[in-house]
Amino acid sequence: VFHKLKLLFQQSVNAIKEQKRRLKQLAAQKAALQRAGVNSGPSASNDTVSLASSQAHMVEVMKMMRRMCMGQYGALQDALRHQPLSQASINLFDQAVQYIQALEPELKDCITDGDFDVVEGATRGFLMLADAMRGPNHDNQLNISQSGIFDLCDRLFARIRIDHVEKETKDKEWEQKKNVERSKLKCAITECLAAVLE
């Protein structure tokens, strides 16, 4: 089970990198066509695939891991970090932090584009890490605090900002939904940081 979860994290990080590469390639092709004076037409928008399409299962993985950590039952919290009866122990908290780090550069654009499934994966990841440290579980607190989580949280707080929504804007509801997603992500990050201090 733990090996399969590690593979899912690795495949998701690789899928993010591949998706970024494809999007850069499509943008370069579109720019070259525009420089040549060729109209790319409506098919270009169909070529782009949202980042969420390659990340749909990660929300469920984060949910399952969070449920293992809920209730501050130390044995299940520790099982995600260290499996003493396995030949090779896998630290899934490090995998989760690496996954969120891979998502981090894309989160701002995902919110702007309405790719909320990707944002939900990051939000649930932070909530899972928070539940893993509650109790307090000192070993998990120490492990997660050494994973680069503080720099990640700092970058996200600096990058994700709540937008002011004018009262008379025609897309008012859509802009408010984006702010709700930004707020959920920031609240999850705050919960994670607060759990380190428990």
Side-chain angles (χ1 to χ4, degrees):
V1 171
F2 299 105
H3 181 65
K4 180 65 176 173
L5 286 171
K6 181 180 178 181
L7 284 177
L8 284 172
F9 276 113
Q10 290 172 343
Q11 288 168 359
S12 295
V13 169
N14 290 337
I16 292 168
K17 291 176 183 174
E18 177 64 21
Q19 197 76 354
K20 287 181 194 176
R21 188 188 63 73
R22 282 179 55 201
L23 291 173
K24 282 182 184 175
Q25 214 172 32
L26 287 170
Q29 287 173 356
K30 186 176 179 183
L33 287 171
Q34 285 176 345
R35 281 195 304 272
V38 177
N39 187 3
S40 56
S43 63
S45 62
N46 297 335
D47 292 340
T48 59
V49 181
S50 75
L51 193 58
S53 63
S54 63
Q55 302 301 313
H57 61 282
M58 287 311 294
V59 172
E60 300 304 318
V61 169
M62 293 297 187
K63 279 185 193 176
M64 187 215 50
M65 289 174 65
R66 185 177 182 203
R67 287 180 181 137
M68 287 179 69
C69 295
M70 283 180 163
Q72 292 91 46
Y73 180 59
L76 276 178
Q77 286 176 320
D78 291 343
L80 293 175
R81 176 181 41 81
H82 175 68
Q83 303 85 44
L85 301 179
S86 297
Q87 286 181 339
S89 195
I90 297 170
N91 188 337
L92 292 174
F93 299 135
D94 283 346
Q95 297 294 320
V97 172
Q98 289 170 17
Y99 170 71
I100 299 170
Q101 283 173 337
L103 278 183
E104 178 250 325
E106 308 305 316
L107 287 175
K108 184 177 180 180
D109 290 337
C110 286
I111 292 171
T112 304
D113 299 340
D115 231 349
F116 298 139
D117 288 340
V118 177
V119 183
E120 186 180 2
T123 301
R124 288 187 180 276
F126 279 113
L127 292 173
M128 179 273 297
L129 292 170
D131 279 326
M133 293 185 278
R134 290 200 174 115
N137 187 317
H138 297 296
D139 292 332
N140 286 352
Q141 285 174 331
L142 180 63
N143 181 264
I144 292 169
S145 66
Q146 293 173 344
S147 67
I149 192 81
F150 300 120
D151 290 336
L152 174 62
C153 293
D154 187 42
R155 288 193 304 272
L156 282 169
F157 268 118
R159 184 171 288 178
I160 307 293
R161 296 176 184 233
I162 307 294
D163 287 343
H164 176 70
V165 180
E166 296 291 334
K167 290 182 181 179
E168 301 303 321
T169 311
K170 70 173 185 176
D171 295 333
K172 181 180 175 186
E173 287 182 27
W174 178 245
E175 294 302 321
Q176 286 176 334
K177 182 161 177 50
K178 290 179 189 178
N179 278 341
V180 167
E181 292 301 319
R182 291 179 182 110
S183 183
K184 283 182 188 175
L185 179 60
K186 286 188 162 195
C187 287
I189 294 169
T190 304
E191 277 194 48
C192 184
L193 293 174
V196 176
L197 299 174
E198 189 174 294

